[in-house]
Amino acid sequence: MRARGGLAPEGYDKYAFEPFAVTVDLAVLTVRAGELEVLLVERGQEPYAGRWALPGGFVLPKESAETAARRVLAVETGIPDLSRLHLEQLRTYSEPDRDPRMRVVSVAFAALLPDPPEPHGGGDAAQARWLPYGSVGPLAFDHERILADAHERVGAKLEYTCLATSFCPPEFTLGELQRVYETVWGAVLDRPNFRRKVLATPGFVEPVPGAARLTGGRGKPAALYRAGGATALQPPLLRPPSEGRPS
Amino acid sequence: MRARGGLAPEGYDKYAFEPFAVTVDLAVLTVRAGELEVLLVERGQEPYAGRWALPGGFVLPKESAETAARRVLAVETGIPDLSRLHLEQLRTYSEPDRDPRMRVVSVAFAALLPDPPEPHGGGDAAQARWLPYGSVGPLAFDHERILADAHERVGAKLEYTCLATSFCPPEFTLGELQRVYETVWGAVLDRPNFRRKVLATPGFVEPVPGAARLTGGRGKPAALYRAGGATALQPPLLRPPSEGRPS
DNA sequence: CTTTTTATAGTCGTACTGACTATTACTCGT
DNA sequence: ACGAGTAATAGTCAGTACGACTATAAAAAG
């Protein structure tokens, strides 16, 4: 193979390479009412027309993958405020046959968005919606795999980082924070122990003085907290051991 | 922008995208004589001719990035046996100006190779050599950043996985295993405590019955171990806290 | 045969965690 | 108004893991 015309500038003439399309795909997660939800778009055209898929699109010539990810998400879901979006590169999926039409290399991102805003379809997306993580049917392309990888990555990161606050509104109760862990991990945690751990980690959360909120109207009002300055948890807050994951 | 002629098959006509070159870059690490070393190649042509760089090359049309990584490494370093190579995707570097000639998106890998074999230049590499990690001068492109990211990733993975055995020959002593940790982390560990931790983790290592080896000819002969079946370490083996890394 | 070197065995106190129990401050139903 | 229910908060207790350390064993070097 030789490089195609116009694509091999000075210095690359002796190289044989094929130009690929480079895209981004986003697995955007959120927690609403104790349920883990994923932001999906309905494909408007073949292949997989009518199927749900992760939001995604081509990287433009002057963009990095990160920049493209934010743009694509804004276009396909119409969500106006992405300032609280937590974006993190997951990995790149490059199997030659992952798109039946042509060679597409996709840089995938795991993303978190608190307080899930209503999305609208846009761009190539017929519609965009939050769907419960457990009930996503078969997705287009290899998006199911990407989504599962993102879920695993986020679950692991909750263990040793302060990422969980990215799922929460600016001010939150410890109960809400705990529900983030429980929802992502699919496990139940002991409340007093969770409290102790979070409060004992310097910089994880800081109290909002004098503020309290009733969670759902019942029970004792809970104190409010903000995210602290720390990013790492040491020692980590481990998931309860389950039979599903290998030790 | 419209897709260039011939690059937008049926179904992509309405999309505007630019074809990119997709490459792989490898940060291959090893431990020799208590020193961390990196496999580098000398660039044979502009830009950065004569500069050291990470081994890398284009992904071919029918390859995944993982496949390309192994092929490229074999071609550029001439190392015959890559069966013990541990390969792991690091992340993808896609800043628009990372290659001065054209748009190149690079999937970077962190890799480990035990018992460092002698490399020979090949392909586009004028020569290939192991160089001490600490003494790598300015590298080509953004390869210094990639190398630093790989080092950080490997260091972190030593904490909670059994990856360290990938730095070791098939049979090794606990002292050799400890030196892997110390070399990658740049820290000194307490020997009895390290022993206790490794042996208490089921499946990390398994003893080779009756075998012993003299490490460097002095001192009491050490028992030999093989890598066990486990892949994860729980609880993790944490790096001693240093001032360099934020908590 | 003493010194040096490395491997191995074991001890002790502290920190962290899992599993609990108890108390407080609200709302809701009657 | 009052008890039941609910959620937040406070605290206890035992087991485990870990850092720091001392002691012993088995080899080579001088």
Side-chain angles (χ1 to χ4, degrees):
Chain A
M1 276 146 304
R2 300 216 38 89
R4 295 194 179 182
L7 289 169
E10 207 61 36
Y12 270 141
D13 293 337
K14 59 171 288 204
Y15 291 75
F17 73 93
E18 184 88 359
F20 297 160
V22 176
T23 63
V24 291
D25 285 308
L26 288 92
V28 188
L29 301 176
T30 197
V31 170
R32 165 161 43 193
E35 253 208 313
L36 186 63
E37 299 189 326
V38 201
L39 187 53
L40 295 178
V41 299
E42 190 186 329
R43 286 185 56 79
Q45 50 183 98
E46 291 298 334
Y48 299 104
R51 212 45 107 65
W52 291 102
L54 300 179
F58 292 101
V59 177
L60 299 182
K62 303 247 165 97
E63 281 178 332
S64 70
E66 282 72 15
T67 308
R70 287 191 175 266
R71 174 184 54 79
V72 162
L73 192 63
V75 167
E76 289 201 338
T77 69
I79 294 174
D81 178 22
L82 292 179
S83 64
R84 304 206 60 227
L85 177 77
H86 174 95
L87 248 196
E88 175 176 322
Q89 228 192 80
L90 184 58
R91 51 160 285 188
T92 294
Y93 296 80
S94 61
E95 278 64 46
D97 54 355
R98 53 181 300 279
D99 187 313
R101 293 159 298 183
M102 65 178 300
R103 190 61 203 271
V104 177
V105 169
S106 181
V107 183
F109 289 82
L112 307 178
L113 204 48
D115 239 336
E118 264 323 299
H120 319 286
D124 313 320
Q127 57 166 326
R129 275 177 60 189
W130 293 104
L131 291 177
Y133 181 85
S135 74
V136 295
L139 300 182
F141 305 107
D142 53 359
H143 289 188
E144 249 161 305
R145 163 111 190 270
I146 297 177
L147 180 56
D149 289 349
H151 183 211
E152 168 55 29
R153 169 78 68 91
V154 169
K157 280 223 138 188
L158 288 188
E159 289 190 320
Y160 58 95
T161 69
C162 299
L163 184 63
T165 55
S166 299
F167 274 105
C168 294
E171 299 191 343
F172 51 86
T173 70
L174 293 186
E176 289 166 348
L177 187 65
Q178 180 175 350
R179 220 153 297 127
V180 167
Y181 277 89
E182 293 180 329
T183 304
V184 174
W185 286 349
V188 176
L189 304 180
D190 179 83
R191 197 191 295 267
N193 289 342
F194 180 82
R195 263 185 93 65
R196 177 180 52 183
K197 175 69 181 171
V198 170
L199 295 178
T201 303
F204 192 176
V205 298
E206 53 186 31
V208 179
R213 185 203 300 164
L214 292 179
T215 322
R218 277 136 98 108
K220 180 174 172 176
L224 285 179
Y225 293 86
R226 263 192 289 269
T231 59
L233 240 60
Q234 202 166 26
L237 176 50
L238 295 173
R239 297 177 255 204
S242 87
E243 303 75 36
R245 276 174 308 108
S247 161
Chain B
M1 279 146 303
R2 300 215 39 91
R4 295 193 180 183
L7 288 168
E10 206 61 35
Y12 270 142
D13 293 338
K14 60 170 289 203
Y15 292 75
F17 73 92
E18 184 89 357
F20 298 161
V22 176
T23 64
V24 290
D25 284 308
L26 288 92
V28 188
L29 300 177
T30 197
V31 170
R32 166 160 43 193
E35 252 208 312
L36 187 62
E37 299 189 328
V38 201
L39 187 53
L40 295 178
V41 299
E42 190 187 328
R43 287 184 56 81
Q45 50 184 96
E46 292 297 335
Y48 299 104
R51 232 4 131 70
W52 291 101
L54 300 180
F58 292 100
V59 178
L60 298 182
K62 302 249 165 96
E63 281 178 332
S64 69
E66 282 72 16
T67 309
R70 285 189 176 269
R71 174 184 54 77
V72 161
L73 191 63
V75 168
E76 291 201 337
T77 69
I79 295 175
D81 178 22
L82 292 178
S83 65
R84 303 205 63 227
L85 177 76
H86 174 95
L87 248 196
E88 175 177 323
Q89 227 192 80
L90 184 60
R91 49 160 283 186
T92 294
Y93 296 81
S94 60
E95 276 65 45
D97 53 355
R98 53 181 300 280
D99 188 312
R101 293 160 298 183
M102 66 179 297
R103 189 63 203 270
V104 177
V105 168
S106 181
V107 183
F109 289 82
L112 307 179
L113 203 50
D115 240 337
E118 263 323 298
H120 320 284
D124 313 321
Q127 59 167 325
R129 276 178 59 189
W130 292 104
L131 291 177
Y133 181 85
S135 75
V136 296
L139 300 182
F141 305 107
D142 52 359
H143 288 187
E144 249 161 306
R145 162 109 190 271
I146 297 176
L147 180 56
D149 288 350
H151 183 212
E152 167 56 29
R153 169 78 69 94
V154 170
K157 278 221 140 188
L158 287 188
E159 290 190 318
Y160 58 95
T161 70
C162 300
L163 184 63
T165 55
S166 298
F167 275 105
C168 295
E171 298 191 342
F172 51 87
T173 69
L174 292 187
E176 290 166 349
L177 188 65
Q178 180 176 351
R179 220 153 298 126
V180 167
Y181 277 90
E182 294 180 330
T183 304
V184 175
W185 287 349
V188 176
L189 304 179
D190 179 82
R191 199 190 294 268
N193 288 343
F194 180 82
R195 267 184 88 66
R196 177 180 52 181
K197 175 68 182 174
V198 170
L199 295 177
T201 304
F204 192 175
V205 298
E206 53 185 32
V208 179
R213 185 202 301 164
L214 292 179
T215 321
R218 280 141 97 106
K220 179 174 173 177
L224 286 178
Y225 294 86
R226 264 193 289 270
T231 58
L233 240 61
Q234 201 166 27
L237 176 48
L238 295 173
R239 297 178 255 206
S242 88
E243 303 72 37
R245 276 175 309 108
S247 163

